[in-house]
Amino acid sequence: MNQLLGNCTVVDARAHPVKDAGIWVTGDRIAAAGPYSEIASQARAAGPVVERDLNGAFVTPGLANMHTHFSLSLPGSGGNAVKDMGPHDLALYMADGARRTLDCGVTTVRNVAEKDHADFALRRAINAGRAAGPRMYTAGRALVCTGGHGHESGDTMECDGPVGFRHGVRSQIKAGADLIKVMISGGIAGEHEGIATPQLFADEMAAVIETAHAWGRKVTAHAGPAEVIAAAVELGLDCVEHGYQLTPEVARQMAAKGTALVPTLLVTRCKEFFDELGVPEWMQCRSLGAGPRHIESFTMALEAGVEILLGSDMPPFWAFEGTNATVRELENLAEHLGPERALHAGTRGPIRWLGLDNDLGTIEAGKYADMIAMDADPLDDTSAFRGVWFVMKGGVVTREDQR
């Protein structure tokens, strides 16, 4: 089907905004984008076309959330309810989360630990058109040492020693993993650990990174303390999740090595979310108490030139502080990055890390037609994403609010 989107301004992280723009979509890809009169002539000359008036909206690429859990189960009553789900309930729960995530304007996610490999079934269902959801790039189960961060749930796999961790990497790749997630330190959700607790030895980290890279997979690591991060970065780590306790030296090392950071700023400023899930006091105190150092660490990364990528950790669709978790995290980033760099962190940056920039991340000919529309200009204020009312994924309109 040919579609022509008009009466809009195209905004992406590649070039200056195009006002009075037209976007011609053929099938699931963008055929052309540019000045409306020129694009409309091309589209109409090609045959019958469905024309959509976007009422002066601003159109950006769909958002990409790089720290996603559709089966998150934190300590507390809310998390226990998810842990207690059988496989059928869990599959439906995750599918509902995927649908709601797409409705928020998130058209690509990177899943970084999901329960019992249900993520692979969900990915297949989305790709086959049996379920609605974003494009999923998933790590399967995260790798942890025995008793390590997150070991209590089916979204991790316990390993020990270099041989054990090599087996862990290969087992996730065998199941269909697009990347590998490893827990190399403690965190905020482990009762019997601290954020700074190192959990892998150097030979274990090397085994994960070397094996994953040999199979063409990148590695991202849950990590808090600077010294643990430094060791992993030196071994070739591709991305750090959280990075609660960076130092300027380690941030510069990350920038020099091209190691990205997904800071997940929400996780140390989300008391309302914790209360909703019945998260126990010990975890709330650890998380919220880590907030000032977390921001300081994030600022060090910015100053060093580390690549910053959007990731919420909180389920992407979760209603939080008047919007959804993805947009709220993007607003947190924009407080420090500014709207233009925040747009990059939420669209083109993640897509480049995933190696998908030939197909996604910008609005130009040849890319998949993954686009969202809103009434306000996101280059003026990132909060414009609170007003997403139109979502297209692969040329299919999945949300179009009545205007």
Side-chain angles (χ1 to χ4, degrees):
M1 180 175 71
N2 281 331
Q3 300 179 73
L4 174 63
L5 281 58
N7 191 10
C8 62
T9 298
V10 169
V11 179
D12 64 24
R14 173 181 52 95
H16 295 296
V18 179
K19 298 180 179 179
D20 191 19
I23 307 166
W24 174 21
V25 176
T26 300
D28 60 358
R29 292 188 182 257
I30 298 168
Y36 179 78
S37 58
E38 175 185 327
I39 302 303
S41 296
Q42 295 177 34
R44 290 166 183 157
V49 61
V50 175
E51 301 194 21
R52 299 183 184 275
D53 185 334
L54 295 184
N55 301 304
F58 292 83
V59 179
T60 75
L63 294 173
N65 191 318
M66 293 285 276
H67 195 118
T68 294
H69 302 286
F70 288 142
S71 56
L72 181 70
S73 56
L74 296 175
S77 57
N80 290 340
V82 177
K83 280 185 183 179
D84 291 343
M85 288 180 180
H88 307 104
D89 288 329
L90 180 65
L92 291 170
Y93 177 81
M94 292 175 65
D96 178 65
R99 176 190 58 79
R100 294 165 68 187
T101 295
L102 183 59
D103 278 349
C104 292
V106 179
T107 55
T108 301
V109 294
R110 191 185 66 167
N111 300 77
V112 287
E114 302 290 1
K115 288 181 173 46
D116 305 326
H117 286 172
D119 45 326
F120 299 121
L122 178 57
R123 184 182 64 186
R124 288 192 296 271
I126 291 171
N127 290 346
R130 296 190 301 269
R135 302 179 192 276
M136 286 178 59
Y137 298 88
T138 185
R141 299 167 72 185
L143 307 182
V144 303
C145 67
T146 295
H149 184 74
H151 74 278
E152 308 92 342
S153 182
D155 55 8
T156 58
M157 176 180 179
E158 289 180 304
C159 310
D160 288 297
V163 172
F165 275 98
R166 288 187 191 279
H167 171 70
V169 170
R170 291 174 181 138
S171 69
Q172 299 315 299
I173 294 172
K174 177 182 178 181
D178 303 293
L179 65 140
I180 297 298
K181 166 81 175 293
V182 61
M183 312 293 205
I184 63 175
S185 80
I188 64 173
E191 186 172 8
H192 304 296
E193 63 186 32
I195 288 175
T197 305
Q199 295 194 346
L200 267 68
F201 291 107
D203 58 351
E204 294 173 318
M205 289 192 287
V208 171
I209 294 167
E210 180 183 8
T211 307
H213 286 178
W215 285 77
R217 270 47 169 207
K218 288 185 175 181
V219 179
T220 192
H222 163 100
E227 58 271 21
V228 171
I229 294 170
V233 169
E234 192 61 32
L235 291 167
L237 181 67
D238 301 293
C239 188
V240 171
E241 308 299 307
H242 314 303
Y244 298 116
Q245 299 171 349
L246 292 174
T247 62
E249 294 76 19
V250 173
R252 287 193 292 270
Q253 179 194 19
M254 289 175 63
K257 294 282 189 176
T259 307
L261 173 66
V262 181
T264 66
L265 298 177
L266 275 178
V267 301
T268 54
R269 49 174 71 186
C270 60
K271 180 170 174 50
E272 176 187 323
F273 174 65
F274 289 155
D275 288 343
E276 186 178 352
L277 294 184
V279 169
E281 188 66 20
W282 65 261
M283 180 177 162
Q284 294 209 31
C285 288
R286 184 185 300 172
S287 172
L288 302 175
R293 182 67 176 88
H294 192 188
I295 290 294
E296 183 181 88
S297 178
F298 172 57
T299 302
M300 291 173 186
L302 290 184
E303 292 173 350
V306 174
E307 175 85 351
I308 304 297
L309 306 175
L310 169 66
S312 62
D313 202 347
M314 189 186 298
F317 56 85
W318 204 274
F320 185 68
E321 295 186 347
T323 184
N324 59 72
T326 302
V327 171
R328 191 67 192 93
E329 177 66 9
L330 194 60
E331 291 174 332
N332 286 335
L333 296 182
E335 289 178 17
H336 303 268
L337 294 173
E340 185 172 353
R341 290 178 66 191
L343 177 64
H344 175 89
T347 56
R348 198 179 189 195
I351 294 304
R352 289 174 64 179
W353 192 94
L354 290 166
L356 304 171
D357 40 329
N358 286 335
D359 289 317
L360 296 164
T362 56
I363 298 175
E364 59 182 317
K367 301 289 182 79
Y368 282 117
D370 289 10
M371 297 176 282
I372 59 179
M374 63 215 76
D375 289 332
D377 186 350
L379 294 182
D380 287 340
D381 188 344
T382 299
S383 294
F385 286 100
R386 289 178 175 240
V388 169
W389 59 268
F390 175 92
V391 179
M392 173 182 280
K393 178 196 164 197
V396 176
V397 177
T398 63
R399 175 182 175 186
E400 187 170 14
D401 297 352
Q402 294 298 315
R403 310 301 291 160

